[in-house]
Amino acid sequence: MARTTPPRPIDVATVFPELGPLARQAVRLHPRPGRPTIHESSVGGPLLWPADEDWPACSDEHGHWDRPVSLEDVRRYRDLLEAAWLRPRSPGENLLTAEQRAHMDKLREGHPPHHEPNPLLPVAQLHLRDIPGLSGPEGADVLQILWCPLDHAEGIPAARLFWRDSADVREVLAQPPVPLDVDHYGNYVPEPCVLHPEVVTEYPASHELPDELGKRLSAWGRNAWAGLHPEDDGHHGSTYYQDEHSVAPGWKVGGWGPWSFRDPSPMNCGTCGSECRPLLTVDSGEWDGGSGSWIPLEDRDHTGPVGIRHPSNPPMVQIGRGYTLQIYICPTSFDHPHLETMQ
């Protein structure tokens, strides 16, 4: 099913024409539970990976706040907890039986960290045919992103990007290696999802605008919010532009960076100094209490029980305390190292 973002409550560029030249196209990916194949675009799905090409692994030293777990432990833990939340229960009945609780505690015990290279985990496969505006090196028609599912610099996983021509893959790797170690809570293990790409228009976050324009937008937002919601106390008004009119939440390609709790920092290529551009945003949720207007029309009438796989976060990826991870690439060369940041 396609996903449709509702029109913005107000066409902000007509109110502030200086925003018009700053408009950018973003592609909301709208990952939803499914069983993608190696020939489809996906989040957390299988990759079209050549059998004669080594599977990448991470050789970095990892600092472990908690003991790592296995990928299988994460899958089993989620399945058990999901089934428990979805099963009917009598009033006062515990969510888990004593046996289930003991089993889940065992799954969370973890194991001593391995010291050999840690095979990477698939994060996303994006066929250029499916993502409007996404371009790669000459001859490449698919982008594959993998990461080490452990904390690295800034407390985020370390990603690797691979561009390839799908026609060159004659024989597919049947059984890719799996990570030896996964972070204790499985925050960086995406559930397999199919994608429903949708083009939207974005404007810069308030942090990236000139101070004078940002102040005018804040004042306008308070008045606009009060006019639309006279019964509200107006608290949301100061962030009305940021939440409802600038940067779309959720997994997306392109657009603007969702600067939020931290000020924008220069994202310049370490090789040539060029200003990098956003490639992929990995989000801990597609909507929350402050961004409800971005909920796709098709997801607004959700009924039925909800387990741990919440409709706003089908991949079940958690970045920090519910933040986002952005991957930036150099506009000069696809061979230059990418940048990652959390906000």
Side-chain angles (χ1 to χ4, degrees), residues 5-24:
T5 299
R8 297 301 79 214
I10 298 173
D11 184 357
V12 69
T14 63
V15 183
F16 295 88
E18 53 265 65
L19 289 175
L22 303 178
R24 284 185 184 175

Side-chain angles (χ1 to χ4, degrees), residues 209-231:
L209 295 171
D211 288 344
E212 185 272 337
L213 178 56
K215 290 178 180 178
R216 285 195 289 127
L217 279 164
S218 180
W220 167 82
R222 287 191 292 269
N223 292 330
W225 180 258
L228 293 171
H229 304 275
E231 76 289 350

